Amino acid sequence: MPDSFYITTPIYYVNDRPHIGHVYTTTIADVIARYHRLRGDDVFFLTGTDEHAAKVVDAAAERGISTQDWADRNAGEFESTFQRLGMSNDDFIRTSQDRHKERVQKYVKALLKSGDVYLGDYEGWYDAGQEEYVPENKAKEQDYKSAISGRPLVRKTEKNYFFKLSAYREPLLKLLEQGESVDGCAFDVQPNARKNEIIERIRTAEDVPISRDVAGAGLGDWCITVPGDDTHAIYVWIDALFNYLTTVDTDERRHYWPANVHLIAKDILWFHAAIWPAMLLALKKQPGYDWVQLPGVLYSHSFWISEGKKMSKSEGNFIDLEKIDQYVETFSLDALRWFLATQGPMGTTDSDFAEARFIEVYNSELANTLGNCLSRVCNMTNRYFEGQLPAGGQEIDDVLLNQDSDAQAKLVTLDRVAPNTHSNTADSARLLALATYASHALSLVQQIDLYIEVTQPFKRAKDESKRDEVATILYNCAEALRIASILLWPFMPTKAEEIWRRLGCGYAEQMAANGGRGMLDEWVLWGQLKPGTPIAQGDPLFPRYQP
Ligand code: MSP
């Protein structure tokens, strides 16, 4: 039985169209999902849309169309964008779907019985853009303005159902501060700086509203009502968080739970790191829900800014769909994926999406390193061996023997580098360190360049007696390139598959025949290319970009 691996992205609000932030989180989730499929895991990758927000109702009203139409339009835009961008999500959940609504009501019903939910009055500072109440001390710190949009917070009073979050302070601290399990469940928040931030906030956590007054919230019937009380809508955040569970709460999919990784950004950390695990612990105590566990890791990345500034439509630096499509058109989808995944804001600092930086990364890593290496190997095979992969035969060390010691010292033989690269990338993948993973994989390609530079096959080729050595050198290069391309596949599936075609490898077909699952550990073993294989030449993989 393959290991199961469940990864999620936030579900995105449908008040507007997708932008680079949404594409980013879904892209890195896609890279991680593909890595796990490549390893042979049984992967479930979920993304989708969060629809019952007051701002969705408002956005539709402004345009004079029904909320449903507006939601359909934007959800459709998210779904088709992700498809166009090659995302391999296994489902797309919309919170307005019956399958979601029914299950959320079921969970809330169970929570109402748990004693962890009660009806009370709430007064506080509301951030309408974020659909979120802000605690007094934070509101003051932020000068009573939204930390995200900068718009003034609104004072609100409501009768609400409350979830006793305060009763979960201790369990949450045990999970996050002491790193111990609670009710047999573990839960981690990464990076550590974000975890520490959340630990401090949990210490003073108060009970939180999980419903909103339907009339007061201006939601009309655009909501999921509290079971048994139609005057209350389940608060959009509670409704939304449950998507991770509703989608897999079926007989066929329940084995995916708990999610291994929830990917989010820093803007929505509190709900995911405190309220979500506490609600799951409360639900778990209810009859029939003992299978409910806590997610493995909640990873909260930082934000993209653009050309050195916070993205904004009025600043003209907003990376919208049109801009994203332009990048794909000019550089290829895989180049965009590479840039997002290697230069993006994993960790605690924001990243700058700057065109100049994009071009620099594209030219140096993709065109000059990977693309160029593939061309060199194919060209030499073509020139010296009539386009057929020669047999390796000769020991690598023999080939290196007649090098000056300086050159030898610079070189690590490729058959020894490749297994290290595999184990280094595996370590990085475990830590979700995508940029580090990518740099390990790319360094194998750089080693091939170095190997060519040191062994100089083009010089040896002039001497007929050294034909075996040239054969060995080329075989080793092609073999290392094969392994690098497998490791790079999660980042650049189209281009990696192109390399496989040129080297005559059938991995794409094997994966398709095996339910999308690969055999990474076996495929990266040294020495699998068959001598005599025709090596196809072709257009540059990543043509150099000249502005
Ligand atoms: N609907 C809620 C999430 C509910 S999840 C149960 C929501 N939606 S959102 O449309 O505002 O999307 C927020 C998410 O989009 C962020 O957490 C992040 O994943 C992504 N990003 C939005 N802007 C971003 C950047 N500028 N940079 C990187 N990612 C960002 O919040």
Side-chain angles (χ1 to χ4, degrees):
M1 278 290 275
D3 290 341
S4 84
F5 183 82
Y6 179 22
I7 183 163
T8 68
T9 73
I11 49 171
Y12 306 109
Y13 287 129
V14 287
N15 59 313
D16 215 340
R17 304 172 70 211
H19 61 63
I20 195 72
H22 311 126
V23 168
Y24 172 65
T25 312
T26 309
T27 298
I28 54 178
D30 186 70
V31 172
I32 298 166
R34 283 176 190 270
Y35 173 77
H36 281 270
R37 288 199 199 99
L38 184 65
R39 280 187 32 158
D41 294 346
D42 172 15
V43 172
F44 194 78
F45 164 24
L46 180 66
T47 189
T49 45
D50 181 0
E51 309 199 355
H52 299 125
K55 61 182 168 185
V56 177
V57 179
D58 296 345
E62 270 168 37
R63 288 159 181 93
I65 63 172
S66 76
T67 312
Q68 184 70 58
D69 282 350
W70 183 245
D72 287 348
R73 192 180 297 183
N74 281 317
E77 187 94 75
F78 273 95
E79 200 167 1
S80 65
T81 298
F82 291 158
Q83 251 168 34
R84 193 170 70 249
L85 297 178
M87 305 300 175
S88 61
N89 49 298
D90 296 285
D91 199 349
F92 187 94
I93 181 76
R94 294 184 57 184
T95 56
S96 60
Q97 289 166 337
D98 287 342
R99 59 170 173 160
H100 175 77
K101 296 203 270 192
E102 283 158 13
R103 293 195 177 91
V104 169
Q105 285 205 317
K106 208 176 72 175
Y107 305 148
V108 171
K109 203 165 170 182
L111 286 176
L112 284 169
K113 283 196 202 137
S114 71
D116 281 328
V117 171
Y118 62 92
L119 194 62
D121 291 304
Y122 193 84
E123 187 180 352
W125 293 103
Y126 195 69
D127 180 338
Q130 294 294 101
E131 307 271 349
E132 172 184 11
Y133 278 102
V134 181
E136 181 62 41
N137 56 347
K138 281 218 137 208
K140 191 166 172 197
E141 224 175 271
Q142 295 163 202
D143 200 16
Y144 301 95
K145 292 194 184 109
S146 165
I148 305 293
S149 68
R151 270 181 236 136
L153 301 175
V154 188
R155 192 78 189 161
K156 276 202 175 230
T157 321
E158 287 189 56
K159 198 161 217 43
N160 292 126
Y161 286 91
F162 280 81
F163 173 65
K164 276 192 197 160
L165 183 62
S166 59
Y168 286 88
R169 280 182 203 156
E170 285 314 310
L172 289 173
L173 289 174
K174 200 166 166 201
L175 286 163
L176 294 177
E177 196 175 30
Q178 281 106 44
E180 289 173 20
S181 57
V182 170
D183 275 353
C185 305
F187 173 61
D188 194 19
V189 173
Q190 284 295 324
N192 278 328
R194 295 280 177 239
K195 174 158 62 187
N196 294 335
E197 204 179 298
I198 250 11
I199 288 172
E200 286 317 308
R201 198 165 160 193
I202 288 169
R203 291 190 208 289
T204 56
E206 299 292 345
D207 297 347
V208 288
I210 61 160
S211 74
R212 298 192 59 191
D213 178 80
V214 173
L219 287 164
D221 58 0
W222 192 247
C223 61
I224 309 178
T225 50
V226 172
D229 184 350
D230 283 353
T231 64
H232 280 93
I234 295 167
Y235 177 36
V236 62
W237 261 103
I238 304 302
D239 162 353
L241 285 166
F242 275 127
N243 88 88
Y244 304 130
L245 194 58
T246 59
T247 311
V248 296
D249 190 359
T250 66
D251 289 345
E252 301 73 45
R253 288 178 174 178
R254 212 163 282 125
H255 71 280
Y256 288 116
W257 190 260
N260 300 69
V261 179
H262 285 319
L263 269 182
I264 59 163
K266 59 184 180 180
D267 53 338
I268 55 177
L269 181 59
W270 172 244
F271 288 100
H272 283 85
I275 299 175
W276 179 227
M279 274 196 324
L280 287 170
L281 287 174
L283 189 61
K284 186 178 172 52
K285 287 188 286 193
Q286 301 315 301
Y289 288 102
D290 55 341
W291 58 276
V292 169
Q293 298 276 317
L294 296 184
V297 182
L298 172 72
Y299 193 98
S300 161
H301 62 72
S302 300
F303 263 32
W304 280 103
I305 58 169
S306 163
E307 305 294 344
K309 278 185 253 163
K310 187 173 167 179
M311 272 203 291
S312 99
K313 290 188 182 165
S314 57
E315 286 276 355
N317 67 344
F318 196 79
I319 314 239
D320 57 13
L321 281 185
E322 285 68 30
K323 197 92 201 203
I324 292 170
D325 285 338
Q326 275 171 23
Y327 274 95
V328 171
E329 174 82 9
T330 312
F331 299 95
S332 77
L333 174 56
D334 282 357
L336 176 71
R337 291 171 63 90
W338 180 260
F339 183 76
L340 292 179
T342 63
Q343 305 294 316
M346 289 297 270
T348 47
T349 31
D350 290 348
S351 293
D352 189 15
F353 196 116
E355 191 180 339
R357 177 93 190 111
F358 192 107
I359 295 172
E360 187 186 314
V361 169
Y362 175 86
N363 276 339
S364 85
E365 296 180 356
L366 300 180
N368 296 350
T369 303
L370 180 59
N372 193 41
C373 178
L374 175 69
S375 299
R376 281 176 105 182
V377 173
C378 293
N379 287 342
M380 286 194 283
T381 314
N382 211 36
R383 194 167 325 139
Y384 308 135
F385 297 93
E386 292 78 45
Q388 295 199 340
L389 186 72
Q394 197 142 341
E395 279 297 312
I396 296 179
D397 291 344
D398 292 350
V399 175
L400 301 178
L401 216 54
N402 39 13
Q403 295 298 321
D404 61 70
S405 54
D406 232 23
Q408 280 198 42
K410 263 170 66 183
L411 194 79
V412 194
T413 57
L414 295 176
D415 61 335
R416 273 172 239 160
V417 184
N420 287 341
T421 309
H422 174 40
S423 79
N424 288 338
T425 49
D427 289 345
S428 308
R430 219 170 292 123
L431 301 170
L432 307 178
L434 296 188
T436 316
Y437 178 118
S439 78
H440 284 306
L442 198 69
S443 79
L444 180 55
V445 181
Q446 286 155 343
Q447 291 288 344
I448 302 174
D449 281 337
L450 185 63
Y451 181 77
I452 295 174
E453 188 189 307
V454 172
T455 57
Q456 306 203 318
F458 31 86
K459 272 204 186 146
R460 289 172 206 248
K462 293 183 184 135
D463 179 347
E464 190 52 36
S465 72
K466 294 193 167 155
R467 194 170 161 82
D468 284 356
E469 292 178 9
V470 179
T472 296
I473 293 167
L474 279 185
Y475 182 86
N476 290 340
C477 291
E479 187 53 13
L481 190 56
R482 177 187 70 83
I483 293 170
S485 69
I486 296 170
L487 294 170
L488 287 168
W489 179 81
F491 292 75
M492 45 175 85
T494 312
K495 301 292 184 182
E497 287 173 22
E498 172 64 21
I499 299 178
W500 297 348
R501 261 191 298 281
R502 294 201 199 171
L503 298 180
C505 303
Y507 304 127
E509 297 73 16
Q510 286 181 48
M511 276 201 267
N514 188 32
R517 296 199 295 276
M519 297 195 293
L520 178 61
D521 288 347
E522 282 174 40
W523 291 348
V524 296
L525 296 178
W526 186 263
Q528 298 184 50
L529 280 175
K530 298 263 174 307
T533 305
I535 301 297
Q537 266 197 306
D539 294 336
L541 196 65
F542 293 101
R544 209 187 140 71
Y545 181 77
Q546 310 278 13

